[in-house]
Amino acid sequence: MIPGPDPDHCRRQWADALRLADLVHGRLVTLGRTVSVAESLTGGLISALLTEAPGTSTTFRGGLVVYATDLKNTAAGVDRGDLDRHGPVRPLRPPRRSRPGCSRPGCQGALTDEPASHEVAMR
């Protein structure tokens, strides 16, 4: 018989993710900064993590979940040609001016779920 997955694996991963989100919130508070999120493949998971703890409304401005290809172009600013050439799943970076956290008033940073850019992009 093949052993099944560790039943506590998901619980441990979620707890680890919540700890990291809490660290991000603490760092943003320390810096006096806020963040917005642009997500696709994660389907809103980053936003959920960053808003789990009390008090995160002081650091989290909002998020944009763009799962559909047409919204990646119209709402997130991903180049239509890149979408046509590479498809919607390839980690494409939208122009800096159209990143939700960098183009909206009152927010100093943006976080994306792009594998190549898991950094907070601060203005």
Side-chain angles (χ1 to χ4, degrees), residues 104-120:
R104 307 292 191 266
C107 185
Q108 299 89 28
L111 182 67
T112 73
D113 64 353
E114 302 166 11
S117 63
H118 281 137
E119 79 279 0
V120 175

Side-chain angles (χ1 to χ4, degrees), residues 37-61:
V37 179
E39 299 183 70
S40 179
L41 298 175
T42 52
L45 183 59
I46 296 170
S47 296
L49 285 165
L50 291 176
T51 58
E52 182 71 18
T56 54
S57 62
T58 61
T59 57
F60 185 79
R61 297 281 298 163

Side-chain angles (χ1 to χ4, degrees), residues 22-104:
D22 194 45
L23 288 172
V24 168
H25 171 66
R27 184 72 172 138
L28 289 167
V29 168
T30 299
L31 293 172
R33 299 288 188 139
T34 58
V35 68
S36 289
V37 179
E39 299 183 70
S40 179
L41 298 175
T42 52
L45 183 59
I46 296 170
S47 296
L49 285 165
L50 291 176
T51 58
E52 182 71 18
T56 54
S57 62
T58 61
T59 57
F60 185 79
R61 297 281 298 163
L64 179 64
V65 178
V66 287
Y67 209 74
T69 303
D70 61 321
L71 286 179
K72 289 180 183 193
N73 172 248
T74 59
V78 177
D79 182 72
R80 181 78 232 174
D82 285 342
L83 289 167
D84 290 342
R85 278 188 300 282
H86 306 291
V89 179
R90 182 167 183 239
L92 299 172
R93 176 175 263 170
R96 185 173 185 86
R97 64 182 164 14
S98 68
R99 288 189 190 163
C102 296
S103 63
R104 307 292 191 266

